[in-house]
Amino acid sequence: MATALKFAQPEERVSNFVSRTHKMLINGKWVEALSGKTFPTYNPATGEVLARVAEGDKADIDLAVKAARAAFETGPWSKLTASERGRLIWKIADLIEENLEEFAELETLDNGKPLKVARAADVPLAVDLFRYMAGWTTKIEGNTIPLSVPYTPGAKYLAYTLREPVGVVGQIIPWNFPLLMAAWKLGPALATGCTVVLKPAEQTPLSCLRLGELIQQAGIPDGVVNIVPGYGETAGAALAAHPGVDKIAFTGSTEVGKIILQAAAGNLKKVSLELGGKSPNVVLGDVDLDAAIAGSASAIFFNHGQCCCAGSRLYVENGIFDKVVEGVAARAEKIKVGSGMEASTDMGPLVSEEQLNRVCSYLESGLSEGAKAVTGGARQGDKGYFVKPTVLVNTNEKMKVVREEIFGPVVTVIPFKDTEDLVTQANNSVYGLAAGIWTRDIQKAHRLATQLRAGTVWINCYNIFDAALPFGGYKQSGWGREMGHDALEMYTEVKAVCAAL
Ligand code: NAP
Ligand code: MG
């Protein structure tokens, strides 16, 4: 009880930060929106206004892009050595780590996720990402290339490639892991020497704004990172369309990803997209049942199912179908749903009323089409945006709950008869972000890993993220990869240099 009380209220420094009227970071200064407008961010556990934040729009984005351009072309950033750049990025990691508790509480207040999740996952993963990317600054290398030019017989050349920063980068991020998504975006951009205009999600701008303060404290020069909170349709759209932006990096829905792509066409800026998913998680008949059940429950219920890679289609081999359904449902029922600030909470509220309504309308659609909720199937309570962890059976592949990304704690469990049937069903999706395989047969597991069309395949585990492991989607789940050294490719241009000797 004592522990529960300790976490029920945020620390004083967190409440003090939250209660400010939040400004935006442009060219190293904290400024109000040119329009003077602000917008509210809500506490999803109560539905009450948590803070007011400067509402950036096209005019503010314009200023931020100009600042980022100047910082890229003539600022001190462009003159730093790779090692100096690395040390500054490492410093950001240290500062986040020093303020781990504060970040965890900000995420919980703004997003709703349990404090213990923010503490164990969101914040340490962000720290690791910055450290990993800090190490890359001194290792971004080109190649030397032997030439055999047929029309200059006898001539000799020295030819090599340089990897140069792509320039001014616009970054638009979602609300499901606010700090971590900012880290995934900023880390490779800074490592490669780009400058940035970042727009956090309207639902969860607070941790990103606090990160902006630490970025300044770390000594990143003015204008290198600009943070403009605001709405997608205004600030986000202006950033995606801006002719002064060289590359846009987006994480969010596939629907908005397509809009970003069109907006980017004006100046053919480079585009990377990390979009939705409807990931198959597969349990084979030979499996360690307890591990597979625990892992499959966590694959969907982690972060309330608000993960682009959530294992939302659970495929189970015929012979063990009932046992797995029963086991996952029993785990769902044990999940303690409540305010993320309480120490005993396993699952907090969904991020917003809009998201609550979306998820509930998917549940209604599935149930009205004949799906059966073994457990859950509805909202929990009438205050805050809580949804009961839900296990659906009796679905078919025409149903929206099987085809579309729900982005909530809802799993559809689907039987399959053999591997061929499984691969056909699992790959029958416009998405291709992730997949899970649970089996004791390691040969079968690796064969299946080659057959599933997904950017990540987890074998006997799920939701394992690492700064070194590339993440991104096949098909309509996106373009490009985040994390790992693959991420650097999305932030660099290759220059070929050829000198006659
Ligand atoms: P979203 O609309 O795709 O939002 C993601 C980001 O894009 C936010 O910063 C958003 O701004 C911005 N945005 C929205 N419209 C834009 C536009 N026209 N131009 C430029 N930027 C724009 O996602 P959502 O509305 O928050 O959530 C809807 C669904 O998207 C979810 O239910 C889920 O299925 C999916 N989703 C996927 C991921 C993922 O990681 N793949 C993450 C979040 C959501 P605002 O600040 O106005 O939101
Ligand atoms: Mg939105």
Side-chain angles (χ1 to χ4, degrees):
M1 192 61 198
T3 359
L5 280 175
K6 179 167 179 265
F7 298 125
Q9 291 300 320
E11 290 177 16
E12 199 180 336
R13 62 179 174 150
V14 177
S15 339
N16 288 345
F17 176 78
V18 169
S19 63
R20 289 190 213 160
T21 296
H22 296 271
K23 298 183 177 177
M24 55 184 81
L25 179 61
I26 296 181
N27 207 17
K29 308 259 170 340
W30 290 94
V31 294
E32 289 174 7
L34 287 171
S35 67
K37 283 193 205 164
T38 62
F39 68 99
T41 175
Y42 299 91
N43 178 342
T46 60
E48 285 158 10
V49 172
L50 182 63
R52 294 206 69 92
V53 180
E55 184 190 324
D57 62 20
K58 193 168 184 295
D60 308 286
I61 290 287
D62 208 37
L63 282 183
V65 171
K66 283 198 178 95
R69 174 60 59 193
F72 180 71
E73 283 177 4
T74 53
W77 182 243
S78 58
K79 298 174 187 71
L80 293 184
T81 64
S83 167
E84 286 167 335
R85 219 166 55 236
R87 266 177 279 164
L88 293 179
I89 299 171
W90 192 278
K91 181 82 179 150
I92 298 174
D94 286 346
L95 289 171
I96 298 173
E97 196 168 50
E98 279 167 30
N99 294 281
L100 187 145
E101 268 307 306
E102 184 183 354
F103 274 108
E105 289 186 21
L106 281 176
E107 294 302 59
T108 296
L109 291 170
D110 213 9
N111 166 282
K113 66 177 67 200
L115 199 48
K116 62 186 175 197
V117 171
R119 251 189 216 139
D122 297 64
V123 188
L125 283 171
V127 171
D128 260 13
L129 191 288
F130 279 112
R131 292 214 173 110
Y132 173 83
M133 288 299 170
W136 267 115
T137 57
T138 47
K139 297 157 199 80
I140 300 170
E141 298 167 344
N143 298 312
T144 53
I145 300 163
L147 300 192
S148 322
V149 186
Y151 49 82
T152 57
K156 290 212 177 297
Y157 301 95
L158 170 64
Y160 59 92
T161 54
L162 297 172
R163 278 204 168 264
E164 297 185 336
V166 72
V168 174
V169 180
Q171 303 185 319
I172 300 175
I173 56 173
W175 41 259
N176 51 346
F177 295 87
L179 174 70
L180 185 58
M181 291 300 101
W184 282 21
K185 292 278 179 286
L186 290 172
L190 296 177
T192 50
C194 295
T195 60
V196 176
V197 178
L198 173 68
K199 191 203 85 66
E202 69 188 61
Q203 297 87 348
T204 55
L206 297 183
S207 58
C208 202
L209 294 170
R210 181 72 182 108
L211 176 62
E213 294 183 344
L214 298 189
I215 284 173
Q216 288 184 294
Q217 198 181 323
I220 298 282
D222 292 353
V224 173
V225 175
N226 304 275
I227 302 175
V228 182
Y231 293 113
E233 293 75 6
T234 51
L239 188 55
H242 202 292
V245 172
D246 298 302
K247 172 201 160 61
I248 190 98
F250 170 79
T251 298
S253 60
T254 293
E255 184 192 352
V256 174
K258 291 177 184 178
I259 296 173
I260 299 281
L261 197 52
Q262 285 171 350
N267 69 334
L268 285 179
K269 56 175 68 68
K270 312 289 184 260
V271 179
S272 56
L273 304 168
E274 203 266 273
L275 307 175
K278 188 75 185 176
S279 298
N281 180 33
V282 178
V283 181
L284 299 181
D286 65 18
V287 79
D288 169 349
L289 259 184
D290 289 344
I293 286 169
S296 300
S298 152
I300 180 64
F301 298 129
F302 172 65
N303 211 43
H304 327 165
Q306 299 172 137
C307 294
C308 43
C309 54
S312 51
R313 291 183 292 147
L314 176 55
Y315 289 98
V316 182
E317 198 157 345
N318 272 334
I320 55 166
F321 183 79
D322 290 343
K323 277 193 188 143
V324 172
V325 169
E326 205 177 286
V328 173
R331 289 206 158 242
E333 280 160 15
K334 283 211 190 88
I335 291 173
K336 186 162 182 299
V337 179
S339 160
M341 293 300 283
E342 299 297 335
S344 57
T345 292
D346 302 312
M347 186 183 282
L350 298 187
V351 71
S352 64
E353 188 172 8
E354 188 187 354
Q355 197 60 17
L356 171 74
N357 293 336
R358 254 179 80 96
V359 172
C360 289
S361 78
Y362 273 114
L363 289 173
E364 282 155 25
S365 134
L367 296 174
S368 73
E369 286 178 311
K372 180 182 160 220
V374 181
T375 186
R379 182 179 183 180
Q380 176 160 317
D382 54 9
K383 195 174 174 222
Y385 312 134
F386 300 94
V387 170
K388 292 179 182 161
T390 297
V391 177
L392 296 179
V393 293
N394 293 352
T395 57
N396 65 58
E397 58 191 26
K398 294 204 180 71
M399 291 183 182
K400 281 205 311 184
V401 288
V402 176
R403 285 199 328 269
E404 296 180 15
E405 180 174 54
I406 298 177
F407 228 62
V410 182
V411 65
T412 58
V413 198
I414 302 158
F416 68 90
K417 66 173 192 298
D418 55 31
T419 319
E420 200 182 324
D421 170 35
L422 163 74
V423 170
T424 309
Q425 290 200 65
N427 285 340
N428 182 14
S429 172
V430 298
Y431 295 114
L433 194 55
I437 301 168
W438 298 85
T439 178
R440 286 192 165 106
D441 183 337
I442 207 69
Q443 196 180 13
K444 223 177 195 177
H446 288 296
R447 191 176 318 129
L448 256 182
T450 67
Q451 291 171 305
L452 296 174
R453 303 275 298 155
T456 295
V457 177
W458 285 296
I459 298 174
N460 293 328
C461 59
Y462 207 95
N463 282 331
I464 300 300
F465 298 98
D466 190 283
L469 197 59
F471 183 83
Y474 282 33
K475 300 195 256 181
Q476 292 189 36
S477 289
W479 286 5
R481 293 293 177 271
E482 310 221 58
M483 302 198 290
H485 55 79
D486 296 83
L488 303 171
E489 283 174 22
M490 308 196 308
Y491 288 88
T492 47
E493 294 275 19
V494 176
K495 178 179 282 176
V497 182
C498 173
L501 298 181

